Amino acid sequence: MPAFAPSLPLHVAAAAATAVASQGRKTTSASWRRSAAVPVDMAAVSSSTLSKLAPLEAILFDIDGTLCDSDPIHFCAFRELLQQVGFNNGVPITEEFYSANISGGHNDDLARALFPHLDHDKAMKFMDDKEALFRKLAPEQLKAVEGLHDLCRWIEDHKLKRAAVTNAPRSNAELMLSLLGLTDFFPVLVIGSECDRAKPFPDPYLKALELIDASPDHTFIFEDSASGVRAGVAANVPVVGLTTRNPEKVLQDAGASLLLKDFQDPKLLSILEEIEPKVAVEKV
């Protein structure tokens, strides 16, 4: 680990000190889809934008917090290593601080925000160490968001285009897709740091649309962070927000068109029936 001065001045330390600590079923695509018959008050959700996407052509996915509930692993890695280097005078960060200041951020931006007075190369070394710890912890702790694999089968049955789009380092992204059994499911993986600008800028999503040859008029995005939602909105693609960890208001304020608990949420099933491709599904 690089050496960090415990007294390093940080513009976020006060927020960390005052924050209060908080606390798969396998089915066929057809049976998953039939559960859409559950009554839903669609007037209660902002789905009009999604309704205009018919016929649906493509779906883009964030990875961390969207495909899998990885934030608890990232939080533990950040908390342990930040405490080791004396961040906030050694007081452990809280989940609220992590959600408000770290979740969904790009490592280059986080290095500058967390360590504004430290040499950037040293700050990035900290981020690299944190990612290494995440990869060490992930194999035993990473779990898919509920309903993910059923949704993936539905997408395959309907021959939809898809891509994974993330601010995570490529090594992390490839590991998570492998652990979830989705390496072959995504023909395209876009990494924020490999674009001109990472999320919250639209570049990663615009690159994904180009690579899979999909129209933003018939595509939507799954995201779980304000940064990711803003990136999708900036790319002029509707965003469905998953409330895996971040507060609903945060995602709404960022511009999410619809909020879901997970991929089994009846709201999702209903909107997919409305905008699904108007082609016959092949019978096996």
Side-chain angles (χ1 to χ4, degrees):
M1 290 292 297
F4 289 80
S7 58
L8 180 68
L10 298 165
H11 73 285
V12 287
T18 57
V20 180
S22 69
Q23 319 282 314
R25 289 189 304 263
K26 290 186 182 270
T27 62
T28 65
S29 172
S31 64
W32 177 80
R33 178 178 162 186
R34 280 199 296 274
S35 64
V38 177
V40 176
D41 179 11
M42 294 305 290
V45 295
S46 301
S47 60
S48 60
T49 301
L50 294 170
S51 300
K52 298 175 183 176
L53 297 177
L56 185 63
E57 179 185 7
I59 303 178
L60 307 179
F61 290 80
D62 172 51
I63 298 181
D64 276 303
T66 300
L67 296 179
C68 50
D69 188 11
S70 53
D71 262 10
I73 309 174
H74 285 292
F75 168 66
C76 288
F78 268 110
R79 182 180 59 185
E80 178 178 332
L81 296 188
L82 285 172
Q83 187 174 16
Q84 284 183 16
V85 300
F87 182 88
N88 191 37
N89 294 319
V91 177
I93 64 169
T94 64
E95 289 188 49
E96 288 84 356
F97 176 83
Y98 171 83
S99 178
N101 297 278
I102 296 176
S103 179
H106 181 250
N107 278 356
D108 194 67
D109 298 328
L110 291 175
R112 290 188 171 89
L114 293 171
F115 307 107
H117 303 295
L118 190 69
D119 177 80
H120 189 61
D121 288 342
K122 291 183 179 179
M124 287 304 296
K125 177 60 167 62
F126 171 89
M127 301 304 299
D128 291 342
D129 290 340
K130 176 264 156 185
E131 300 301 356
L133 180 55
F134 171 84
R135 291 191 293 273
K136 179 181 178 181
L137 299 173
E140 297 297 323
Q141 300 183 35
L142 196 75
K143 295 181 179 179
V145 169
E146 200 70 29
L148 172 64
H149 291 99
D150 296 326
L151 173 60
C152 290
R153 282 190 285 272
W154 186 91
I155 290 172
E156 288 180 322
D157 287 348
H158 288 77
K159 303 187 183 305
L160 294 179
K161 299 174 182 178
R162 61 266 191 185
V165 184
T166 179
N167 269 356
R170 179 168 288 276
S171 53
N172 284 26
E174 291 177 346
L175 173 63
M176 288 185 282
L177 291 180
S178 176
L179 292 173
L180 294 168
L182 296 178
T183 299
D184 295 333
F185 176 76
F186 289 107
V188 167
L189 169 61
V190 177
I191 305 297
S193 62
E194 297 173 4
C195 301
D196 289 339
R197 300 175 299 179
K199 304 175 192 177
F201 293 98
D203 304 41
Y205 281 118
L206 293 175
K207 181 176 181 179
L209 289 171
E210 179 182 359
L211 290 173
I212 65 174
D213 190 26
S215 166
D217 296 330
H218 299 285
T219 300
F220 73 84
I221 294 167
F222 283 117
E223 269 285 357
D224 76 302
S225 70
S227 172
V229 172
R230 288 195 293 270
V233 171
N236 292 315
V237 180
V239 181
V240 174
L242 278 91
T243 57
T244 319
R245 293 285 166 179
N246 288 306
E248 290 186 5
K249 187 177 186 306
V250 170
L251 301 180
Q252 287 175 332
D253 290 348
S257 299
L258 180 69
L259 297 180
L260 307 175
K261 177 184 177 183
D262 54 38
F263 296 116
Q264 291 185 329
D265 193 313
K267 294 192 294 294
L268 172 62
L269 305 178
S270 294
I271 198 66
L272 286 179
E273 281 205 332
E274 186 176 350
I275 65 175
E276 66 180 318
K278 303 304 179 184
V279 295
V281 180
E282 291 184 6
K283 302 291 185 181
V284 179

